[in-house]
Amino acid sequence: MKRNLFVLLAVFTLLFQSTALAQKAVRITPAERKRAVAITAAQLKNYLYFVASDAMGGRDTPSQGLDITAEFIKMNLERWGFKPAGDNGTFFQKIALKSDTVDAQNTLLSIDGRPFALGDDFVRMMGSGSASALMVYAGDGWVVKSKGLDAYGGMDISGKIVVLSSDSFPSSNTLTRRPAGVAQTDLTGTKGTDWADPLTYARDHGAAGVIVIASPTGWDQVRRIYTRGSTYPEKLREAPAAATTARSMPVAIVSSKAAETIFAGASGNKDSKTAFAVNKTVSMTVMTRSETKWTQNVVGIWEGGDPKLKNEMVAIGAHYDHVGTNPNAPGDDKIWNGADDDGSGTVAVLSIAEALAKSRIRPKRSILFVWHCGEEKGLWGSEYFNKFPTVDIKNVVTQLNIDMIGRSQDPNNIIPCDRPGKRCDQELSKPNEIYVIGTEMMSSTLSSVTKGTNSAYLKLDYNYRYDDPKDPNQFFFRSDHFHYAHSGVPIVFWFDGVHEDYHQASDSPDKIDYQKMQKVARTIFLTMWEVADLRTRPVVDKVLPPALSER
C-alpha cells in the first residue's frame, strides 16, 4: 500500500512538474511570427514623427499638445475596433488637476531685510499667506520614535519659520524624503505622535512657515518645475498637504545663495543633526490663484478569445507625456519633443495595438492598453489608474511597461562620461541590446516567459544590470510599472538607457533607431501574447524587496 502510494505520488509530481514546465516553455509558431511582422519600422517612424512633432509642444501634463496626442490615440483605437475602458464608456480616464499659479508681484521673501528674487533665489512650493518670524533649523525635519530620530530636539517651533534641507528633490507630500535607514514599516504607531514627516510636524506644532533648501545640483530642476506654480491631481494629494486649516502655511524652496544668508554667522552647524535657532527674521508672502485643469489617461481593451480567460487582462502601457516647452531655454529650440522619452514607448504600444487588431486570432486573455499621463510629474497617471482603476485591477495578471526603446549607442560616436554633471552615451544600450527591469522581482513564471520569448524569437541581448534592488539609479522607481507592482501585479520594464539627449530639447525623432524599435516592439508583442495564452496567470511567488517598497 505504501509503495503504491509512493509510486502514485511520484507520478503525480512528475506530471505536475511537466505541466508547469510546459506552461513556461516558449515556442514561437510561424503564425505568431506573422502577426508580429505587422509592426514595422516605417509604421513606428510615421507615428513618432507626429507624436514628437513641434506641433505637440513637448506634451506637458496638462497641455493642448498632450490632449491632441490623446485624441490621436483614441481615433486609432476606435477605427481598429477596441473597446473603450475609460470613464463612462469613453477611452479617457479624466483626472482633475488643481493648479495654483503664483502671483509674482505679491510673492516676496526677505531675510533680515535683504530681499531675494522670485525664480532666481526662491520659489513657492505650496500654501499661501504671509509670515514674518525668526527661524529654527531642523535638518531633514523627521521624527521617527521607533528609530530614535527627532530632528527638533524638543525645540519650540510655534510661530517660527522652520528651515529644512535635503539632498533629494522636495516632496509635495512630506517636504523632504524619509531619512536613510528608515523604511515605511518603521513608521509605526500614530502619525503626528509616534512619527511625523516634516510637513505634518510643522502644521501640528504651529509653525508660521517652512523654507526648504534645495540641493545645489537640483536647484535648476526645482526652479523650472515650481516657477510656474504647482499643479497636482487633487485626489492623490494627502489631506495634510492641502489647505485644510483656516490659514494655509506658506512653504518656499530657496537656492544656495539664500541659504548662505540664512546661516551666515549662525550659532549652529547646519551639517550636524542638532536643531538650533537662527537669530534672523524671515518675511515671506506667498500669493496664488487657483483653478481646476483636466488631463487624462487613455484606456482601451482588446477582448480575449477564451470565454473564461478573457475576464483576465494583460496590461501594456507607456507614458505619452513629456516635459513640454521651456521659453527660457538657451538657443533656438525651446520644445522638448520627447521622441525617445517616451514617444518611442507611446507609438510602440500603438503599433502593438494595431498588430493585434489585424490578427485573425485573438489571444485567450484580454489585453488592456493604458497610455499614462503625468509620468514626468511623478507617475501621476499610473498612480491614479491603480488607485482609481476603471477595470478590476485584481484581474490584471501582468503589466508590460515600455519607456524609452528608441536609441542605440553609436560605436563611432560615443559621448564620453568625462564631463561633471553632463549626460553621456556610455550607458546607452547597443543596437541589438535593451535593458530589462523587474523580471526577477515578483514572478518566476513571468521571468521565464519573458526570457523564453526572446530566446525563441529575435534573441535580443537582454541586459539585466538594472534589475537589482540596489541599483543606484533606482530605475525601478522611475516609470509607470512601479504602481502596478505595488498593486500586486508582476511587471516587466523595457528601457534603452540614459543618453546625451535625455530630457533635452535635442531628444528628436531623427535620432531614433527605428530598426531597433521594431525588434523590441515585436518581441514585447509576442511576450504579451505568450502571457495572455498561459493556462494559468503568472503566480506572484516573490515578495518585493524592502528597498523597493516605496518611492
Side-chain angles (χ1 to χ4, degrees):
M1 175 68 74
K2 289 182 179 179
R3 183 183 177 188
N4 289 342
L5 284 172
F6 177 82
V7 171
L8 286 171
L9 180 61
V11 170
F12 175 80
T13 301
L14 287 171
L15 286 172
F16 177 81
Q17 290 177 342
S18 298
T19 301
L21 290 172
Q23 174 174 285
K24 296 180 184 180
V26 177
R27 175 178 173 268
I28 306 301
T29 67
E32 289 172 330
R33 291 174 184 268
K34 187 175 180 180
R35 293 173 202 142
V37 298
I39 299 168
T40 68
Q43 166 202 41
L44 292 163
K45 183 176 183 179
N46 186 37
Y47 288 151
L48 188 56
Y49 264 85
F50 176 81
V51 168
S53 67
D54 282 356
M56 300 303 111
R59 308 188 307 281
D60 195 10
T61 303
S63 69
Q64 184 180 42
L66 190 72
D67 293 345
I68 293 171
T69 306
E71 290 289 346
F72 174 71
I73 295 169
K74 182 196 78 170
M75 175 191 73
N76 283 295
L77 294 178
E78 282 181 330
R79 69 190 183 93
W80 295 333
F82 277 74
K83 179 182 176 182
D87 300 327
N88 305 317
T90 73
F91 284 99
F92 295 154
Q93 181 188 32
K94 302 298 287 186
I95 302 174
L97 305 175
K98 183 178 180 182
S99 179
D100 294 333
T101 304
V102 175
D103 181 349
Q105 288 186 335
N106 294 303
T107 297
L108 310 168
L109 183 139
S110 65
I111 301 171
D112 265 1
R114 178 183 174 182
F116 288 87
L118 178 66
D120 292 332
D121 304 317
F122 79 99
V123 292
R124 178 259 185 188
M125 184 178 184
M126 65 176 65
S128 61
S130 296
S132 182
L134 296 173
M135 294 176 281
V136 171
Y137 178 70
D140 62 21
W142 280 81
V143 173
V144 185
K145 291 185 178 179
S146 66
K147 303 292 285 188
L149 298 177
D150 182 354
Y152 306 88
M155 288 199 69
D156 182 10
I157 65 169
S158 178
K160 305 291 197 310
I161 290 177
V162 178
V163 180
L164 306 171
S165 63
S166 175
D167 292 334
S168 61
F169 192 85
S171 165
S172 59
N173 283 330
T174 61
L175 300 185
T176 67
R177 302 295 185 187
R178 285 200 314 266
V182 177
Q184 181 67 31
T185 52
D186 294 321
L187 306 182
T188 58
T190 304
K191 184 176 181 179
T193 302
D194 299 301
W195 68 272
D197 61 73
L199 183 58
T200 300
Y201 192 94
R203 289 185 188 281
D204 289 354
H205 289 78
V210 177
I211 289 176
V212 181
I213 301 170
S215 67
T217 56
W219 172 244
D220 285 342
Q221 185 182 9
V222 166
R223 180 169 54 182
R224 187 181 73 245
I225 290 175
Y226 285 103
T227 296
R228 295 172 290 179
S230 62
T231 301
Y232 54 90
E234 290 186 87
K235 291 176 72 173
L236 295 182
R237 178 64 63 88
E238 285 187 14
T244 55
T245 59
R247 179 184 57 83
S248 177
M249 183 177 63
V251 179
I253 309 174
V254 302
S255 67
S256 297
K257 176 183 174 182
E260 289 174 2
T261 301
I262 290 172
F263 294 115
S267 58
N269 181 1
K270 70 179 181 65
D271 296 322
S272 74
K273 296 184 178 180
T274 304
F276 59 88
V278 181
N279 192 28
K280 293 181 183 180
T281 299
V282 171
S283 295
M284 57 192 300
T285 298
V286 173
M287 300 297 291
T288 61
R289 302 183 184 93
S290 295
E291 63 177 314
T292 299
K293 298 181 179 180
W294 292 88
T295 189
Q296 63 279 313
N297 291 323
V298 185
V299 193
I301 287 179
W302 188 256
E303 196 168 70
D306 186 280
K308 293 183 179 179
L309 292 180
K310 71 178 182 181
N311 294 320
E312 295 181 341
M313 292 163 281
V314 176
I316 184 165
H319 72 90
Y320 72 109
D321 70 312
H322 193 54
V323 299
T325 300
N326 182 0
N328 299 317
D332 296 330
D333 193 353
K334 310 294 185 183
I335 299 173
W336 269 238
N337 300 99
D340 191 29
D341 184 17
D342 186 28
S344 62
T346 298
V347 303
V349 175
L350 192 64
S351 297
I352 288 170
E354 185 175 8
L356 193 62
K358 289 179 178 178
S359 173
R360 294 182 179 180
I361 304 297
R362 290 177 180 258
K364 293 178 181 177
R365 287 179 179 82
S366 296
I367 310 298
L368 173 69
F369 288 82
V370 187
W371 286 265
H372 304 99
C373 65
E375 190 269 359
E376 299 289 0
K377 298 295 179 68
L379 314 187
W380 285 353
S382 54
E383 182 181 3
Y384 197 92
F385 186 80
N386 278 270
K387 288 185 175 179
F388 311 103
T390 57
V391 300
D392 188 345
I393 205 74
K394 293 179 181 178
N395 289 336
V396 177
V397 305
T398 293
Q399 200 267 342
L400 309 179
N401 183 38
I402 311 177
D403 192 350
M404 299 172 61
I405 60 167
R407 291 292 290 270
S408 293
Q409 187 183 99
D410 181 353
N412 299 314
N413 185 31
I414 299 175
I415 307 298
C417 294
D418 58 1
R419 298 167 300 162
K422 297 292 184 181
R423 298 180 178 88
C424 59
D425 287 346
Q426 287 180 211
E427 307 304 321
L428 184 57
S429 54
K430 297 175 177 65
N432 197 57
E433 180 186 35
I434 195 78
Y435 295 112
V436 182
I437 300 171
T439 54
E440 302 301 322
M441 301 296 185
M442 299 181 71
S443 172
S444 300
T445 301
L446 181 58
S447 173
S448 178
V449 171
T450 301
K451 294 175 180 178
T453 301
N454 181 54
S455 297
Y457 187 45
L458 296 180
K459 296 180 171 60
L460 291 164
D461 296 325
Y462 272 8
N463 189 325
Y464 298 97
R465 67 176 292 184
Y466 299 129
D467 198 19
D468 181 354
K470 298 179 181 179
D471 167 30
N473 300 281
Q474 297 189 313
F475 287 128
F476 184 84
F477 298 87
R478 291 168 58 180
S479 193
D480 292 312
H481 60 274
F482 173 84
H483 287 293
Y484 290 86
H486 279 257
S487 293
V489 178
I491 62 90
V492 187
F493 167 32
W494 285 264
F495 170 58
D496 59 23
V498 174
H499 47 75
E500 174 74 358
D501 301 307
Y502 173 71
H503 276 206
Q504 300 296 313
S506 50
D507 182 9
S508 53
D510 58 299
K511 296 181 179 180
I512 297 295
D513 182 347
Y514 291 98
Q515 291 299 322
K516 175 177 183 171
M517 270 188 71
Q518 173 185 284
K519 289 187 289 186
V520 176
R522 287 179 177 181
T523 302
I524 297 172
F525 172 83
L526 289 179
T527 303
M528 173 197 76
W529 200 291
E530 295 301 323
V531 175
D533 275 3
L534 288 173
R535 285 193 288 273
T536 59
R537 65 189 292 165
V539 176
V540 177
D541 54 6
K542 300 180 182 182
V543 177
L544 277 177
L548 303 180
S549 65
E550 185 175 337
R551 289 181 77 233

